[in-house]
Amino acid sequence: MKHNKEIKISYWAAHLTTIVSVTLVLIIIGIIALITVSAAIETRRLKERLQVNVVMADSVGNKGAEALAGELAGSPFALSVEVVTKEAALANWKKDTGEDLESLFGVNPLSPEVSFTVKADHASPVALKKIETQLKGKPGVEAVALPDSTMVENMNRNIETFTIILGAIALVMIVISFVLINNTVHLAVYARRFTIHTMQLVGATNGFIRRPFILNNMLSGLISGLVASGVMAAALMAAPTGGFTDVASYISWEVFGIVAAGMVGAGLLLCGVAAYMATTRYLRQDYEELFK
């Protein structure tokens, strides 16, 4: 029992710095991933709220509007389609302005309309212009009112800039952690360099010698990934009590699960590769170089 306790203390003493540094890196990477996902979800929502209004000629009547609505429902760019009849348009006008146009003019002067929201992939200014051109070429269409998509485009640009900045920070942290892991493994291998050389002399393969170092460091990566995931999960659960009640609508637990799995995988990969590179360096050295 005493021997096992000493092994555990030795492992934690050797790998605690690695675990802490990699955990911090993975938390930053996880935050970047969640920000990117939530930003993409919100941007998609905003795009799919953009509404195009098609004013029909009075001569085609409600039937013409309904025919166009049916055509748009089967189009690749329309998400949801609604017909606003002459009567509904008049009622909406009266509700919004308080004016009774039919009493004023003696007839209903408003035309039927077809309103539809566009799919996110067709919400760019260029795509909307193509939709406008296509609709204006249809018989019975009097005018097409496009939404302002510049706000969504500006949001996209800001999110991309923010993500690049966070990505640069994460890259710096990854490099720092990689150096720390490399130094940790370097010291561990250095302390056993003569044992390793003896193992080589008796025929041990490089893979056999490398294996325990890589597995120990991959265990550190696994622990780091689990700790980072736990910290972020706790933060998400505490978000509503902290006033961030909308977090759940942007980040589902399914999405978080994917990000958490990615963090664990990144921890395993980062620590495993660093250990492989550090051990390979010593395995290639000659006997004389072991004394340096």
Side-chain angles (χ1 to χ4, degrees):
M1 294 295 293
K2 184 178 180 181
H3 178 66
N4 291 337
K5 186 176 181 181
E6 289 177 352
I7 291 174
K8 289 181 180 179
I9 292 173
S10 176
Y11 174 83
W12 288 108
H15 296 275
L16 183 60
T17 302
T18 298
I19 291 172
V20 172
S21 62
V22 175
T23 298
L24 293 175
V25 170
L26 294 178
I27 289 174
I28 293 175
I29 293 174
I31 290 173
I32 293 172
L34 290 179
I35 288 175
T36 303
V37 170
S38 59
I41 292 173
E42 179 59 18
T43 302
R44 191 174 189 86
R45 286 180 181 176
L46 289 174
K47 286 182 176 181
E48 292 181 346
R49 289 175 185 170
L50 298 177
Q51 186 169 294
V52 178
N53 294 316
V54 183
V55 180
M56 307 300 296
D58 192 54
S59 58
V60 301
N62 294 334
K63 288 185 177 180
E66 290 170 358
L68 179 62
E71 186 179 342
L72 288 173
S75 68
F77 53 80
L79 182 64
S80 62
V81 185
E82 179 186 4
V83 175
V84 182
T85 63
K86 288 171 61 70
E87 295 73 23
L90 183 65
N92 291 338
W93 181 277
K94 186 175 182 180
K95 181 181 178 181
D96 294 338
T97 65
E99 296 178 351
D100 188 349
L101 294 179
E102 192 170 21
S103 299
L104 184 62
F105 294 101
V107 293
N108 182 356
L110 300 179
S111 301
E113 297 181 8
V114 178
S115 299
F116 66 93
T117 55
V118 295
K119 294 178 181 178
D121 297 336
H122 297 271
S124 65
V126 175
L128 288 172
K129 279 294 181 182
K130 290 181 179 179
I131 293 172
E132 180 186 26
T133 303
Q134 183 178 340
L135 290 174
K136 283 184 175 180
K138 293 185 178 296
V141 174
E142 192 171 87
V144 178
L146 295 178
D148 183 10
S149 62
T150 55
M151 182 265 292
V152 177
E153 297 300 316
N154 290 335
M155 181 178 177
N156 275 339
R157 282 194 292 270
N158 293 335
I159 290 171
E160 288 174 3
T161 302
F162 187 58
T163 303
I164 290 172
I165 294 173
L166 290 179
I169 295 173
L171 182 61
V172 171
M173 293 293 292
I174 288 173
V175 172
I176 293 173
S177 291
F178 197 87
V179 172
L180 285 172
I181 297 167
N182 189 72
N183 289 340
T184 301
V185 179
H186 176 89
L187 291 173
V189 176
Y190 182 81
R192 298 176 57 188
R193 63 194 185 281
F194 294 109
T195 302
I196 291 173
H197 183 70
T198 302
M199 292 171 69
Q200 287 178 313
L201 291 176
V202 298
T205 63
N206 289 347
F208 179 83
I209 298 171
R210 229 188 254 119
R211 190 176 299 118
F213 295 102
I214 294 176
L215 290 179
N216 279 336
N217 280 275
M218 288 184 72
L219 177 60
S220 298
L222 176 63
I223 294 171
S224 299
L226 293 175
V227 171
S229 300
V231 170
M232 293 189 66
L236 285 176
M237 288 188 289
T241 60
F244 300 96
T245 54
D246 295 332
V247 170
S249 63
Y250 295 111
I251 304 170
S252 65
W253 285 109
E254 290 79 6
V255 171
F256 174 78
I258 295 172
V259 173
M263 288 192 293
V264 172
L268 288 168
L269 181 64
L270 180 64
C271 293
V273 170
Y276 178 88
M277 293 179 64
T279 52
T280 299
R281 175 186 172 187
Y282 269 105
L283 291 174
R284 291 176 177 172
Q285 288 183 340
D286 296 328
Y287 181 74
E288 290 77 12
E289 294 177 311
L290 299 178
F291 294 92
K292 296 180 181 179

